[in-house]
Amino acid sequence: MGVLWLYSLGVCVCVTVLYTVARIALGNTSFLRLRRFVLLAVCVVSLLLPVVPFIGGSPHLSHLSHRKASETADGVVEAGIPTVERAEYRVSPLLPATFFVGGWIYLLGAIGVGAYFVYGSIRLHRYLRDGEEAEGTDGRVVVVDTDEYAPFSWGGRIAISATDYADDCGAILIHEDAHMRQYHWIDSMLMALLCALTWYWPSAWLMRRELREVHEYEADRAVIESGVVMADYQMMLIKKTAGSRFQSLASSLNHSSLKKRITMMMSKPTKGTARLRALAMVPAVAIVAAVMCSSSLSAQVGSILAVGGISGKVTNSAVSGENSGVKISSSDKKEKVYEAVEENPVFPGGTMGLYDYLSKTIIYPPKAAEAGVQGTVSVRFVVKSDGSIGEVQMLRGKSPELDAEAIRVVKSLPRFTPGRVGGKPVSVWYTLPIRFRLSSPTPEEDGEKKAK
């Protein structure tokens, strides 16, 4: 629930930035295929990029590998590569409650919007099923008795009233056939997914509306290019605006602003060189990707996952050994331990010094290596006012062996430069996610193992 909410926030950021650039670059140009492609690309990229900070279930801040030998139960020496990752953050005590309440509000909204689209698709299916297939159309055209709704297409089929079908419906069928041939209904489904995930954010809804307008522009162009007189077609559209739209998922003849559609039909083609504006999307996507893949963002995501009540509950008391098989040091009760300070604790040699120490100190447990166990262990510990390591808590464990190794290494850390508040050294919580990852054996190692 909380993870999905965090993911949706990332999607909102991507959509807002990329759609804004696309709107400025292409605006109301006549390059309909290009505009449609860019809008769909924005949708797909926005859905995929925010996944990056969650890969592996922890922040991916650094990938420093150090090969260490460990002996398995059968006496074969294999290599394990522990990949060390680290995050340092400040956490408000209100964070768990905020994410609990906000997560439920978001989830209920997403379910509601998703249910609306699902219900609409069911209604469309039933409406098309109850109609009568027109002769000579191979089931592509369905004639319905009611005149309540304007003609529309959905899922490769066209719905049209008996009155319209009996009249001169050539332009209508060409229009809706263009929607089907260009698979506009698939675009609508993709945008419905995006809007359900980001129901509280206007950018996705605005982009969905623009894409639907582009769909109508493309269908209108197909009608004009077929030889239908533009003035007659425009007059027919004006008459059809009185009909109701069946459901927002379908491509209806009277969707979108009629004024905009007529203006687009009569406007001059945009100069071909204007297509180069689409290149503005390249740096925009690169910047968004760099932000989503950055270690700082991953650190913040990892912080919230670890302490925000999303990936596991953390209490003030030490975690007992029944959760991880590790006995944790007793709580430091003599002095106040801060969650956030003005100056954070600093490891000797800084961040790179900590990475180097961990990569040289961690030894992959033989039992875990033999079982192929790997993953992320998150440990929280107190850096005391004198820089020494105090209480240790296991935020998220993986296995007793990996948990024990992480605890061992944390307890062995040398003194930090302590954190400070008002210039005075104080005790402060420090969080360290460590990812254990087994390397694949080299061909030489694999050959030696088989020989033995």
Side-chain angles (χ1 to χ4, degrees):
M1 178 177 65
V3 173
L4 186 61
W5 184 25
L6 276 180
Y7 166 74
S8 76
L9 290 174
V11 175
C12 289
V13 172
C14 292
V15 169
T16 302
V17 174
L18 297 180
Y19 174 59
T20 300
V21 175
R23 189 81 181 93
I24 295 173
L26 297 176
N28 294 317
T29 61
S30 61
F31 308 127
L32 301 182
R33 288 185 181 179
L34 180 60
R35 288 173 61 183
R36 179 189 177 196
F37 172 79
V38 170
L39 292 175
L40 290 176
V42 169
C43 180
V44 173
V45 170
S46 298
L47 289 172
L48 294 180
L49 275 182
V51 176
V52 174
F54 296 93
I55 295 176
S58 63
H60 295 259
L61 303 181
S62 176
H63 299 279
L64 301 177
S65 299
H66 182 77
R67 186 176 294 270
K68 288 190 172 289
S70 59
E71 186 171 342
T72 61
D74 58 1
V76 178
V77 176
E78 296 189 81
I81 298 182
T83 301
V84 179
E85 303 174 90
R86 169 265 196 195
E88 177 183 338
Y89 51 88
R90 300 178 178 184
V91 179
S92 168
L94 296 177
L95 186 60
T98 301
F99 266 84
F100 178 80
V101 176
W104 272 108
I105 293 174
Y106 165 76
L107 185 62
L108 291 175
I111 291 174
V113 175
Y116 166 75
F117 286 125
V118 171
Y119 173 70
S121 64
I122 294 174
R123 286 189 63 206
L124 286 168
H125 175 73
R126 289 177 177 174
Y127 190 78
L128 291 167
R129 182 193 61 189
D130 294 339
E132 182 180 348
E133 295 182 359
E135 296 182 4
T137 62
D138 297 326
R140 292 167 49 253
V141 179
V142 176
V143 180
V144 293
D145 293 332
T146 178
D147 293 335
E148 180 181 359
Y149 302 110
F152 66 86
S153 60
W154 169 252
R157 305 181 80 186
I158 299 172
I160 185 171
S161 68
T163 303
D164 286 331
Y165 189 71
D167 199 359
D168 185 8
C169 62
I172 296 176
L173 295 180
I174 293 172
H175 179 97
E176 298 303 332
D177 185 65
H179 283 305
M180 289 195 306
R181 285 187 292 101
Q182 299 182 58
Y183 299 101
H184 288 165
W185 64 278
I186 295 179
D187 297 4
S188 298
M189 293 292 289
L190 184 61
M191 281 296 172
L193 172 62
L194 178 67
C195 290
L197 288 173
T198 60
W199 57 270
Y200 55 90
W201 201 253
S203 297
W205 295 95
L206 291 174
M207 186 169 72
R208 177 174 178 265
R209 184 178 67 181
E210 180 171 344
L211 181 59
R212 296 184 71 83
E213 290 177 353
V214 172
H215 288 171
E216 296 307 319
Y217 297 156
E218 287 184 317
D220 292 339
R221 179 176 292 180
V223 174
I224 302 303
E225 291 177 349
S226 71
V228 175
V229 178
M230 184 184 298
D232 294 341
Y233 178 62
Q234 292 172 350
M235 183 59 65
M236 184 201 70
L237 289 178
I238 294 173
K239 293 179 179 178
K240 293 301 177 184
T241 53
S244 301
R245 300 172 186 174
F246 185 82
Q247 212 276 346
S248 59
L249 279 175
S251 297
S252 178
L253 183 72
N254 62 350
H255 261 304
S256 187
S257 169
L258 183 59
K259 181 180 178 180
K260 288 183 179 180
R261 291 170 64 179
I262 293 177
T263 301
M264 178 60 70
M265 281 185 245
M266 302 182 67
S267 62
K268 294 181 180 180
T270 309
K271 293 182 179 180
T273 54
R275 288 188 176 90
L276 296 176
R277 299 177 192 171
L279 295 177
M281 296 303 301
V282 176
V285 172
I287 292 173
V288 172
V291 172
M292 288 295 163
C293 298
S294 67
S295 58
S296 58
L297 179 62
S298 297
Q300 295 300 320
V301 171
S303 303
I304 296 172
L305 289 176
V307 183
I310 296 176
S311 61
K313 294 183 179 179
V314 180
T315 61
N316 291 328
S317 60
V319 179
S320 64
E322 65 182 6
N323 293 326
S324 61
V326 181
K327 184 178 181 181
I328 311 299
S329 58
S330 61
S331 176
D332 299 314
K333 300 179 180 178
K334 294 185 179 180
E335 58 180 330
K336 179 180 179 180
V337 181
Y338 288 78
E339 293 282 355
V341 291
E342 296 171 1
E343 297 181 32
N344 290 319
V346 179
F347 187 82
T351 301
M352 296 308 297
L354 177 58
Y355 291 160
D356 185 62
Y357 179 86
L358 293 174
S359 63
K360 291 179 179 178
T361 307
I362 292 178
I363 300 175
Y364 217 106
K367 186 176 180 181
E370 181 184 19
V373 179
Q374 53 186 343
T376 300
V377 176
S378 292
V379 181
R380 186 167 90 141
F381 57 92
V382 174
V383 177
K384 296 173 144 184
S385 57
D386 62 357
S388 61
I389 305 302
E391 177 186 351
V392 182
Q393 292 183 356
M394 179 65 64
L395 294 183
R396 183 170 62 246
K398 187 63 181 178
S399 74
E401 295 77 19
L402 297 186
D403 297 351
E405 179 61 16
I407 294 295
R408 181 191 71 80
V409 173
V410 166
K411 289 182 177 180
S412 73
L413 290 172
R415 289 180 183 269
F416 284 61
T417 299
R420 294 179 178 273
V421 173
K424 296 182 180 180
V426 296
S427 297
V428 60
W429 285 107
Y430 194 101
T431 301
L432 188 66
I434 302 175
R435 186 181 183 196
F436 291 86
R437 185 172 60 193
L438 287 168
S439 64
S440 299
T442 63
E444 293 80 8
E445 293 170 338
D446 192 50
E448 291 176 3
K449 181 177 180 180
K450 290 181 178 179
K452 291 182 179 182

